[in-house]
């Protein structure tokens, strides 16, 4: 008779213990799942960051090339302006400067 009473109590205890173990396992699994999802998101963020850095580097290279081209163009314009001014000065220098030319009435 005592064993008949103990049997249902033991079954409740083992059932309670089993459900407690299941809950602990479920909680552990949920933590692992969350950790893996966080890692996956971080990996995606890293991939996105790397892609954006590559795009930024490509745009920076393009900007640097445009600046270099603009600088070269400006240097060509300055040289051209200097050459034109030198040509005008040479024309002026080669013009005869006689009295009659300077003081014509």
């Amino acid at each position: 008779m005592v064993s008949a009473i103990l049997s249902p109590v033991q079954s409740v205890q083992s059932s309670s213990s089993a459900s407690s173990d299941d809950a602990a396992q479920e909680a552990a699994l949920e933590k692992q799942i969350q950790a893996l999802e966080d890692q996956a998101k971080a990996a995606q963020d890293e991939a996105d960051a790397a892609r954006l850095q590559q795009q930024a580097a490509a745009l920076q290279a393009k900007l640097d090339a445009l600046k270099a081209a603009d600088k070269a163009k400006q240097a060509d314009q300055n040289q051209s302006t200097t050459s034109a001014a030198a040509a005008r000065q040479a024309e002026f220098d080669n013009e005869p400067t006689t009295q009659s030319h300077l003081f014509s009435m």
Side-chain angles (χ1 to χ4, degrees), residues 98-105:
T98 60
Q99 290 282 349
S100 65
H101 187 98
L102 291 174
F103 298 105
S104 61
M105 285 193 199

Side-chain angles (χ1 to χ4, degrees), residues 53-103:
Q53 286 174 344
Q54 286 176 342
Q55 289 176 347
L59 290 176
Q60 184 64 49
K62 195 174 193 178
L63 177 63
D64 291 345
L66 286 174
K67 284 181 178 181
D70 190 37
K71 194 173 186 179
K73 185 177 176 182
Q74 179 126 11
D76 284 348
Q77 286 176 347
N78 288 344
Q79 185 178 9
S80 175
T81 302
T82 303
S83 296
R88 286 192 300 274
Q89 184 65 41
E91 288 174 12
F92 180 76
D93 289 344
N94 290 332
E95 230 176 78
T97 56
T98 60
Q99 290 282 349
S100 65
H101 187 98
L102 291 174
F103 298 105

Side-chain angles (χ1 to χ4, degrees), residues 12-88:
V12 168
Q13 284 177 343
S14 67
S15 170
S16 172
S17 176
S19 97
S20 172
D21 287 344
D22 288 347
Q25 283 182 335
E26 287 176 8
L29 287 173
E30 286 174 359
K31 276 186 175 181
Q32 285 178 335
I33 291 168
Q34 186 61 48
L36 289 174
E37 288 174 350
D38 290 346
Q39 286 177 348
K41 185 176 186 300
Q44 182 62 41
D45 290 347
E46 288 174 14
D48 289 343
R51 182 179 48 80
L52 291 173
Q53 286 174 344
Q54 286 176 342
Q55 289 176 347
L59 290 176
Q60 184 64 49
K62 195 174 193 178
L63 177 63
D64 291 345
L66 286 174
K67 284 181 178 181
D70 190 37
K71 194 173 186 179
K73 185 177 176 182
Q74 179 126 11
D76 284 348
Q77 286 176 347
N78 288 344
Q79 185 178 9
S80 175
T81 302
T82 303
S83 296
R88 286 192 300 274

Side-chain angles (χ1 to χ4, degrees), residues 1-11:
M1 185 122 172
V2 173
S3 65
I5 295 174
L6 287 177
S7 181
V9 171
Q10 286 175 341
S11 117

